[in-house]
Structures are given as structure tokens and as C-alpha cells.
Amino acid sequence: MTLEDVAMNTYTDHYDESFEAKFRLAVEKRCGKLYGNSIPKQVADCLAVEWAVLQDKYLLLLFEALTVIADISRENGCYFSIKGIVESSLIAYLTGLTEADPLPAHYLCPRCKRVEFVDNGRVKCAPDLPKRICPECGTTLNRSGFDLQLDFPFARDRMGPFAEVVIDGSCRKEVCRRFEEQFDAVIRAFFDLRTHICDFNTPIMTRIMLKTNGEAEKAKEFRLRTGIDMREIPLCGDEGMKKILPCIESELDRVLSISKYQLAAVTAAIPPSCFRNWIRICGLALAEGAWEDNGKELLRDDIATLNEIITCRDDVYSRMIQAGFPPEDAYKITDSVRKGRWKYKNNAKIEQYKSDLHDKDIPGWYIESMDKLSYLIPRHTCVRNVIAAYRAVWVKMYDLDLL
């Protein structure tokens, strides 16, 4: 038996006996609270895919470590934010690791548990759904979902489990101590105090990067001053949201750390009239090759609509699925496009995919647009950034001048 076998077998025993059962129970309880006794098919299908992905014990190890960090943050009344492919996981959302529901936009009744998914091709995120009353019991419906289901189902295709976590600096020592207690002699966590990177000594690299950028500390101070948890600031405020949306640009510019010209160039052409448009603006501003000499001209010349141009990775994946590609092929095409490899010549597989696109009646302008892309970010990154900017504006709107 190899050292890898020993590590894997030891970790499997540790995991099956402790964390996984509790984790599954937490998901079941949350589903019961949200959906009642009958889980909608879209939810059940998504969970089935994700539990299959989490058969990879190293991904499960990542979730266990992230749960420890989240628990410590909550115990100390501190803000935390997890970045990475975990952001597109429904399981992560249901267990409180992430904030944005990755399911498609839908209405959810908190009383009778009625669920209605919105599938009209126009609304991609919950904040843009109009307020509605439950037709069954008369309760005001909750709105949820940002349609972020690209990355996590293919997590095993990545180099190794990784997440970046923004935490309050006061929690870092406790995280180190708790990791030393929780993980045994075979699966151990090693912290590099210079880089704040935690590596687990697993055969496949499993890594967490801890960051303290000031936002977590500000959120904690804000909660202590006002009693309001930043994570609880509503995104579906209707009239309030209409006042906030036009003011997001300055905060988004700060959050993204990109040139004001780059962001202003996109916002000048795309009206910031809804949450989805800000997500698009964020994607175009952060991408390489998506706006200038691409999306900008397609909109200007009325070749494509705002719903059709490529703004993030998820747009490509959705278009490939709609065209009839199997999920695995749709993901491979998307991965080639987002890394800028789609433009490579003399690549037999990519050339075959391009031929398939023509056969499936994908417009020539769309294929040319794919050729021009050098880098695309995932929608979950856009959503996280827009939510952060929205909440910062919300604070200022209510004259709470902390942020």
C-alpha cells in the first residue's frame, strides 16, 4: 500500500465517521425549512449532481475546513466571505458557507413552501423579480436564485480543491488552532504565516488562502454600531433597490480595483437599470477581449442584443447547452473560451467544436466573438462583487457612514 493509499483510507475513515453525516443532515434540515416535505425537482437534481461531486474526499475536506472557518466567524460575530468554485454550489449555500443561491431565479413561499421557478429567458437573478403574493396562502413570496450552476458540477476537472476566504483578522489564530485539533496526524493543516496559506498534506493539493482586507473588520464594526449584519441586508427591496442601483458604479469601481475608464466605458453603453445588468457590466469590465472590438460593436451595430452577447463564462456554457451539446462538451468549450484557447489554430478538437457550432446554427458573429476572448470570469464572481457594492451603497443611503 502506498503513502497515498494510507492517507486516503485514513481520511475516508475520519470523514465518514464525523463530518459527512452531519453535513448531509444540515443540508436536509435546511431543505426542509425552505421547501417543506416536497423538494422541487430542480433542487433535487442539483443536489444529486453535487453529492456525486463530493464523492471526491478532497473536495469534502475543503468543505469541512470551510465549515470550521464559518463556525469560528459566527461564534465571534465576524463577517466572512468565501471565493472560488464553492460559490456556485447549492450545498455551500444551503449550509451558509456562501450568500448567493446558485439556482435559477424563483419565488419561494415562507409559509406554505410553494416554489415557482421563472423561466422566461429575461430574468436571471432574484433581485430583478417583481414583488408577488403567494396565490395559495396570500403570503408575500421570497425571491431567490442567481443562476450560477456552471463551475461546481465540474470541480473534479480542476487542479485541486481551493478556496480564498476573507475573514476578520481576530479569527485567524483560532482557525489555526481549531484546524490542529480537528485534523489528525495523517491529514494535517500547515499554515504559512507569511502568505496566510493553509495546505493540507493530501496527495492532491487542497488549499485555503486566508485574507484580511479590511472589509471583514468594517462589517463587524458596522454590526456592533447598528445591530445590522451586512449579510442580512436585503437585495430585493423594490423601491429601495431602484434608488441604489444607479449609485453602484463608484463602489463597484472600488471593489473591482480596475480603472475607472474601463468600468465607465461599459456603463455608458449598458443601462444600470437592473441587478442583472450590473452583473453583466462587472463581467465585461473584468474580462479580456469581451467589450472593445467585440460586445461593444455587436450592440452598437444592432447585430446582437444585450441578452445575447458574451459577458461571462456562464453565458457561453448556457448557449452551448441550448445548442444541444452534452454538459461535458459544453464545459470543455467554455473552458477553452474563458482561457483564450478557443482562438488557437491547428487544434483538432477545437476545430471540430467550431464545425459543430456551425452545424448547430450558432451565428457566425457569436463564433467570432468567442475567437476574440482572452479571459472570462465566472458569473459567481460578478454576483459577489455586485452584492458587495450594493450593500456598501445601502449603508450610505441610510446615512450609516462606516463604509
Side-chain angles (χ1 to χ4, degrees):
M1 181 178 288
T2 66
L3 288 176
E4 180 175 343
D5 292 332
V6 172
M8 189 68 260
N9 290 341
T10 302
Y11 178 65
T12 300
D13 292 341
H14 157 82
Y15 214 85
D16 288 343
E17 292 175 1
S18 57
F19 176 72
E20 185 173 6
K22 295 178 183 177
F23 199 53
R24 285 182 176 271
L25 182 60
V27 172
E28 290 174 7
K29 286 184 176 180
R30 183 60 176 162
C31 283
K33 185 174 181 180
L34 290 175
Y35 312 116
N37 296 325
S38 180
I39 297 179
K41 184 178 185 303
Q42 293 94 324
V43 178
D45 289 348
C46 185
L47 288 176
V49 169
E50 293 197 13
W51 285 124
V53 171
L54 287 177
Q55 292 304 303
D56 182 328
K57 297 300 180 181
Y58 303 118
L59 278 168
L60 213 47
L61 169 63
L62 180 69
F63 270 76
E64 181 174 11
L66 293 175
T67 299
V68 171
I69 295 172
D71 288 345
I72 292 171
S73 296
R74 294 190 188 102
E75 290 165 9
N76 291 276
C78 296
Y79 175 87
F80 68 95
S81 176
I82 297 174
K83 305 177 182 180
I85 59 172
V86 172
E87 291 180 271
S88 61
S89 164
L90 177 60
I91 289 174
Y93 169 72
L94 292 173
T95 53
L97 295 178
T98 56
E99 298 182 66
D101 183 349
L103 291 169
H106 59 281
Y107 289 100
L108 179 63
C109 181
R111 185 179 179 185
C112 71
K113 312 304 180 185
R114 182 180 185 272
V115 179
E116 179 185 344
F117 283 86
V118 179
D119 187 22
N120 59 17
R122 295 188 303 274
V123 178
K124 286 287 186 180
C125 58
D128 293 333
L129 291 174
K131 184 178 179 180
R132 279 183 51 188
I133 302 298
C134 178
E136 301 292 334
C137 68
T139 303
T140 299
L141 294 171
N142 292 334
R143 290 159 278 182
S144 191
F146 285 87
D147 199 17
L148 310 176
Q149 299 180 78
L150 167 58
D151 278 341
F152 192 74
F154 304 98
R156 286 179 291 187
D157 295 337
R158 301 299 182 90
M159 290 181 63
F162 171 80
E164 179 182 311
V165 187
V166 175
I167 62 171
D168 190 294
S170 63
C171 296
R172 188 183 294 140
K173 287 185 179 179
E174 177 62 15
V175 169
C176 296
R177 187 191 68 79
R178 195 81 63 90
F179 276 12
E180 289 178 357
E181 288 183 355
Q182 184 144 342
F183 300 103
D184 57 41
V186 176
I187 303 300
R188 294 182 60 192
F190 296 92
F191 277 94
D192 185 325
L193 296 179
R194 294 174 297 104
T195 62
H196 306 301
I197 290 176
C198 173
D199 284 324
F200 293 85
N201 66 328
T202 52
I204 297 176
M205 185 184 73
T206 304
R207 169 174 288 183
I208 294 175
M209 179 181 291
L210 296 178
K211 280 194 164 187
T212 54
N213 60 8
E215 294 302 313
E217 285 80 359
K218 289 179 181 179
K220 181 179 181 179
E221 184 182 346
F222 174 65
R223 184 186 61 79
L224 292 174
R225 288 177 63 246
T226 66
I228 301 173
D229 187 337
M230 288 283 286
R231 292 167 68 100
E232 300 301 322
I233 292 175
L235 300 177
C236 301
D238 300 308
E239 291 304 318
M241 189 176 78
K242 291 178 182 179
K243 296 177 182 178
I244 292 175
L245 286 175
C247 305
I248 284 181
E249 184 172 347
S250 61
E251 291 298 333
L252 193 59
D253 179 69
R254 179 182 62 83
V255 170
L256 298 181
S257 298
I258 59 175
S259 71
K260 290 186 177 181
Y261 169 78
Q262 190 174 351
L263 185 61
V266 182
T267 54
I270 298 178
S273 56
C274 61
F275 214 90
R276 185 184 182 187
N277 278 7
W278 274 116
I279 294 171
R280 289 169 168 143
I281 290 168
C282 180
L284 289 167
L286 288 174
E288 296 178 14
W291 181 244
E292 294 293 342
D293 193 35
N294 199 340
K296 178 181 178 181
E297 283 67 28
L298 292 172
L299 292 176
R300 182 195 63 199
D301 299 337
D302 291 327
I303 295 174
T305 66
L306 190 54
N307 283 337
E308 295 172 322
I309 64 170
I310 299 171
T311 65
C312 63
R313 299 176 196 174
D314 305 58
D315 292 339
V316 178
Y317 180 76
S318 297
R319 190 66 181 261
M320 297 304 104
I321 291 293
Q322 292 170 6
F325 283 98
E328 294 77 10
D329 287 332
Y331 178 76
K332 289 176 181 177
I333 292 171
T334 302
D335 203 46
S336 296
V337 173
R338 67 106 174 173
K339 293 177 179 177
R341 293 200 302 253
W342 188 254
K343 65 184 73 172
Y344 290 176
K345 305 298 181 183
N346 302 319
N347 183 307
K349 189 62 176 177
I350 289 178
E351 291 304 316
Q352 180 58 55
Y353 279 140
K354 288 184 178 181
S355 176
D356 293 340
L357 289 179
H358 286 290
D359 293 342
K360 293 178 181 295
D361 296 325
I362 297 294
W365 66 260
Y366 195 91
I367 300 173
E368 291 176 9
S369 179
M370 294 165 70
D371 285 339
K372 295 176 180 179
L373 294 164
S374 297
Y375 180 71
L376 281 175
I377 66 170
R379 183 179 288 138
H380 61 70
T381 299
C382 302
V383 169
R384 173 179 16 94
N385 288 325
V386 174
I387 288 176
Y390 180 95
R391 286 175 173 164
V393 175
W394 188 95
V395 170
K396 292 181 178 179
M397 285 282 187
Y398 285 82
D399 200 27
L400 301 171
D401 57 350
L402 177 65
L403 300 181

